[in-house]
Amino acid sequence: MSVPLRLVLALHNHQPVGNFDFVFEQAYQDSYLPFLDVWSRFPEIKLSLHTSGSLMEWLDAAHPEYVDRLAEFAAAGRLEIMGGAFYEPILTMLPSRDRIGQIRRYTDWLRHRLGVDVRGMWVPERVWEQSLVRDLVDAGIEYTIVDDFHFRSAGLAEDELHGYYVTEDDGRLMKIFPGSERMRYLIPFSEPENSLEHLRAVAAAEPGAIVVFGDDGEKFGTWPETKHHVYDAGWLQRFFEMLTRQSGCIHTCTATEAAEAVAPRGKVYLPD
């Protein structure tokens, strides 16, 4: 029996502090709510979700029922809530105490409001410096996701990008996943079958591989033309139907589940 490929679907939703209220509301109506509505109909498909603190505070005030649903899905084991720096700052521009403070504050907020144990985080704008590892670990973070471009720049080949690695700074260890550039270009702009073709090719070459899609949730409705494409024309419905049919060979899981099921591929130090 072949070992299924593990697919991690990680979404990042964000609206900055001070954005107009109607912009928050439009993104909610066009992206956040319809995505959750479609995804909720596919109980076999798991998701990792990061929502910035500034957006989550607005959601909790304007649409607390949405936040309640996130808590319910997390309690059911279908959804992993990822943490982060509360106000989505570029971490490399902050001193260590502020990095740690924002991450811990948001972890505490999520634990109090959603009842979740935060283990991973989204790095704002996916801006990376190796020295972040120490502060992320000190803030209680076990893993993060960055673009696979960083891993290529560290000298890794294409067939070494489907898994996760351990990285280190000042004696602190954490896990780091390469987010697939190929999947970011395919989803949601190409037909679901093209994603399937890519995933099958990876699975055939690397049994037990992990592929991570990590990108903005606004691609699903807020970006120009995507609301019609993703929802009215049924792209997201067809994508989830395809994954459900392929559940024997493509297993969707959270990032934490992937890390617990598969050993790291080694140690890596990523360039800034």
Side-chain angles (χ1 to χ4, degrees), residues 103-117:
I103 296 167
R104 286 180 174 171
R105 180 182 175 189
Y106 195 33
T107 294
D108 290 344
W109 193 98
L110 291 168
R111 183 182 297 115
H112 175 75
R113 178 62 176 88
L114 300 179
V116 296
D117 181 20

Side-chain angles (χ1 to χ4, degrees), residues 113-249:
R113 178 62 176 88
L114 300 179
V116 296
D117 181 20
V118 173
R119 300 179 64 177
M121 70 167 280
W122 187 266
V123 176
E125 300 302 328
R126 304 193 294 270
V127 175
W128 181 259
E129 288 185 5
Q130 188 62 30
S131 61
L132 292 175
V133 171
R134 179 184 60 187
D135 293 339
L136 268 55
V137 173
D138 287 352
I141 298 301
E142 298 178 18
Y143 78 82
T144 192
I145 300 167
V146 298
D147 293 350
D148 57 11
F149 172 82
H150 295 278
F151 293 78
R152 292 192 184 94
S153 299
L156 275 67
E158 187 66 30
D159 61 359
E160 297 176 297
L161 300 177
H162 304 121
Y164 72 94
Y165 289 80
V166 172
T167 193
E168 175 271 338
D169 181 66
D170 198 24
R172 278 78 156 182
L173 299 175
M174 68 176 294
K175 306 175 185 72
I176 189 163
F177 288 86
S180 170
E181 179 182 56
R182 177 65 175 156
M183 293 297 287
R184 289 200 311 276
Y185 279 98
L186 288 171
I187 297 174
F189 308 111
S190 182
E191 286 301 304
E193 290 72 22
N194 294 327
S195 294
L196 176 60
E197 181 180 355
H198 172 67
L199 294 172
R200 280 177 168 170
V202 172
E206 305 172 52
I210 301 169
V211 174
V212 177
F213 167 79
D215 210 349
D216 297 346
E218 291 79 15
K219 292 174 73 172
F220 301 89
T222 301
W223 286 21
E225 311 298 328
T226 57
K227 183 179 180 182
H228 173 76
H229 171 64
V230 172
Y231 303 112
D232 298 338
W235 184 93
L236 190 61
Q237 176 82 18
R238 288 184 285 113
F239 180 71
F240 286 151
E241 288 173 347
M242 179 268 290
L243 289 179
T244 300
R245 290 194 302 270
Q246 300 295 326
S247 60
C249 57

Side-chain angles (χ1 to χ4, degrees), residues 14-25 52-58 86-88:
H14 170 56
Q15 297 295 326
V17 174
N19 216 351
F20 294 112
D21 189 71
F22 76 85
V23 176
F24 278 85
E25 183 65 33
S52 64
S54 51
L55 174 56
M56 190 69 91
E57 284 188 318
W58 182 89
F86 205 108
Y87 296 108
E88 203 68 7

